[in-house]
């Protein structure tokens, strides 16, 4: 049990805040994988985006796996809420970095309605941009 406590403590930053590494992802590769796997890879991508936006914004929310499960169980209706919340989290992350925030929630919601995985690509692009600056 002692090793588990050390592992948890080593993962904590100042004040008990956890710091995790978010990796930059290749948008063209992920789009191709989404298409080739008939959307199954999109479920993995959605889970990654959910977790990454939560980490970048510093907010706790629904986990990535739970978001995928809720989207499947509600036949995609939860995905609409998910897209809007991702936009809000990205806007807060931009504000924390001193960048101007747009109304990303509405944008991602509309794109999700009409384009589905195109919203994933736009959200990933914003995450990649936030990692660069």
């Amino acid at each position: 049990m002692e090793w588990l406590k050390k592992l948890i403590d080593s993962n904590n930053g100042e004040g008990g805040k956890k710091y995790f590494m978010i990796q930059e992802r290749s948008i063209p590769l992920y789009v191709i994988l989404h298409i080739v796997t008939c959307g199954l890879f999109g479920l993995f991508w959605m889970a990654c985006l959910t977790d990454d936006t939560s980490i970048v914004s510093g907010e706790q929310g629904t986990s990535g796996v739970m978001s995928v499960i809720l989207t499947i169980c509600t036949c995609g209706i939860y995905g609409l809420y998910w897209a809007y919340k991702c936009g809000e989290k990205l806007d807060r992350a931009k504000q924390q970095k001193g960048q101007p925030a747009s109304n990303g929630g509405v944008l991602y919601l509309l794109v999700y309605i009409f384009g589905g995985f195109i919203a994933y690509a736009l959200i990933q692009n914003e995450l990649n941009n936030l990692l660069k600056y």
Side-chain angles (χ1 to χ4, degrees):
M1 232 23 186
E2 187 65 33
W3 64 270
L4 182 61
K5 186 177 184 308
K6 286 180 183 178
L7 178 66
I8 292 171
D9 288 341
S10 69
N11 224 5
N12 288 340
E14 295 174 21
K17 243 185 177 176
K18 293 193 183 237
Y19 296 102
F20 295 96
M21 181 70 103
I22 300 173
Q23 64 180 357
E24 187 174 344
R25 294 184 172 88
S26 170
I27 296 170
L29 175 65
Y30 274 44
V31 169
I32 290 169
L33 287 171
H34 178 78
I35 292 169
V36 168
T37 61
C38 300
L40 291 177
F41 187 79
L43 300 175
F44 169 75
W45 195 8
M46 181 184 194
C48 290
L49 291 173
T50 304
D51 293 336
D52 289 352
T53 54
S54 294
I55 292 168
V56 167
S57 68
E59 297 177 14
Q60 284 297 91
T62 309
S63 71
V65 174
M66 186 57 72
S67 294
V68 170
I69 291 170
L70 288 170
T71 301
I72 292 170
C73 289
T74 61
C75 300
I77 294 172
Y78 181 81
L80 301 172
Y81 171 76
W82 171 85
Y84 182 79
K85 289 304 284 181
C86 279
E88 283 188 342
K89 288 179 183 179
L90 287 173
D91 284 344
R92 282 192 212 99
K94 283 185 191 176
Q95 288 174 343
Q96 290 170 358
K97 289 193 166 224
Q99 299 175 3
S102 58
N103 198 356
V106 174
L107 170 69
Y108 299 134
L109 174 63
L110 292 174
V111 172
Y112 188 84
I113 290 170
F114 296 111
F117 73 94
I118 297 171
Y120 297 177
L122 293 175
I123 293 168
Q124 186 66 59
N125 184 48
E126 284 296 323
L127 282 168
N128 289 347
N129 289 338
L130 282 170
L131 291 176
K132 289 178 187 174
Y133 303 107

